[in-house]
Amino acid sequence: MHNLILNSDSYKTSHFLQYPQGTEYISSYIESRGGVYPKTLFFGLQMFIKQYLMTPITLTDINEAEEMMALHGLPFNYDGWMHILQAHSGYLPLEIEAVPEGTLVPTGNVLVQVINTDPKCAWLTSYIETALLRAVWYPTTVATISKACHSLIARYLQDTADSLDGLPFKLHDFGARGASSEESVSIGSLAHLVNFMGTDSLAALVSAKRFYHSPMAGFSIPAAEHSTITSWGREGETDAYANMLRRFGGKGRTVAVVSDSYDLWNAIDNIWGGSLKSQVESNGGTLVIRPDSGDPVAIVNEAIERLMAKFGFRVNNKGYKVLPDFIRIIQGDGISASSIADILREMKNRRLSAENVAFGMGGELLQKVNRDTQKFAMKASAICINGQWKDIYKDPITDSVKRSKKGRLALIKDNGEFKTVARDSIAPEKNLLVPVYRDGQLVVDDTLDAIRQKAVQDCITA
């Protein structure tokens, strides 16, 4: 069982003693202050609310936290937590408002705002920072990277292919084994599925069903790994490949086979394009060959051209060469947003359509990210003391980038552009921040389908 009270930083436990006398309300916000991408695709808050904020704290939680803090050497707000238990049945007296999930927002704008709803719990707004900020920055950053790849691949398909029909399956999530935990997979891989439909991360499918009303959020295909090929021995490589076609080929079916266990070029030229050529051509489905080593740019382009030499190609309406429908390439080694761009650029230079290739991304999607990738922060911006509101902010002389916003905030669209403004400067109905949680109740319950529809309305360019 999770103890929400302990889902925080140690130093937070002493902060209830540090605010001015008479403090009644504290308002804080979350933003991406900048980073690798100029926009962020907001996602994941609903998952956190359902998993952590819909279950009340208990007396057992309070006693466990009190005992731990005593041993840890820090003060503990026993009376404050007991007040939450007794006055609010253990639910956090907070209101959280946010931009709708799936919205692509330029950096430097408010994404989330939180305030306590009980004047006796002003300390709670910042106490929740650790858990709330983490719940926002990680899935939003992964969704942003995935969206950037989506925009990139879409652009090359528009330039070199006759349609965008294959786009939802052009970037497959290979990241489960390289993530730090199953929970990371369930969060990050689900964020990827906002933009694409291909995944091998089963935990994401569970989270999509549990938190976003999606009975099946993503899809995969039978695929070989090196152990299933090398177990046949080098002399049995052809038999291993033939077995994959026999077991998983057929009309309308797709199968992926890793083909670099020994000699990728021999596999393409002499096995797939030689002894098994007739089976590949007549199997009725699609064979996807997976190179898994070497320089991705060179390997993908040479592999496609070798396959074209063996199986032929057609020239599409854009003037680019396309493999027959029964054979394609997926590159899953060394894939990042930048390497995808490099591969597709070289393919375009060689007059190869982007429809010939799909990509699998692992660590670069789920693991090689941190809070500074998009410079996320949560800061207090307004405080009410004895009934009087005042703005609060930080403005360090040593780093102007870390200057924080002042006051109670709102997000608006002005002539099609997002702007963060003072909350009391606009009519309430213009505020794009909507309440999503209040006093233990989920106010908005979005579906993954609705979030996906919102996410396709814009693009990211690095």
Side-chain angles (χ1 to χ4, degrees), residues 162-288:
D162 288 337
S163 79
L164 298 179
D165 290 348
L167 180 57
F169 292 96
K170 284 297 184 183
L171 185 64
H172 201 87
D173 174 15
F174 282 179
R177 74 189 60 185
S180 57
S181 67
E182 184 185 26
E183 187 175 31
S184 296
V185 177
S186 68
I187 296 170
S189 292
L190 180 51
H192 167 70
L193 289 175
V194 171
N195 305 295
F196 290 94
M197 300 290 289
T199 186
D200 259 34
S201 295
L202 295 175
L205 306 180
V206 176
S207 291
K209 183 177 181 180
R210 184 175 298 164
F211 302 123
Y212 288 95
H213 309 284
S214 178
M216 182 44 59
F219 303 90
S220 188
I221 59 173
E225 69 174 21
H226 286 106
S227 75
T228 66
I229 301 302
T230 58
S231 60
W232 295 71
R234 187 165 194 148
E235 69 285 355
E237 185 177 10
T238 299
D239 292 335
Y241 294 162
N243 180 64
M244 292 297 294
L245 291 178
R246 184 170 59 254
R247 297 283 189 181
F248 305 110
K251 184 171 181 167
R253 303 174 75 183
T254 302
V255 57
V257 185
V258 63
S259 301
D260 75 327
S261 295
Y262 308 108
D263 183 341
L264 175 64
W265 310 131
N266 177 66
I268 290 175
D269 295 342
N270 300 316
I271 303 179
W272 294 123
S275 55
L276 296 179
K277 185 171 186 288
S278 62
Q279 290 97 309
V280 172
E281 292 174 330
S282 64
N283 96 88
T286 302
L287 167 67
V288 182

Side-chain angles (χ1 to χ4, degrees), residues 337-354:
S338 60
S339 68
I340 290 173
D342 293 340
I343 291 168
L344 292 176
R345 186 183 306 112
E346 180 61 19
M347 286 179 62
K348 187 176 182 181
N349 290 340
R350 297 192 190 197
R351 307 301 293 181
L352 303 174
S353 173

Side-chain angles (χ1 to χ4, degrees), residues 117 274 359-360 371:
T117 58
F359 302 97
R371 186 164 66 92

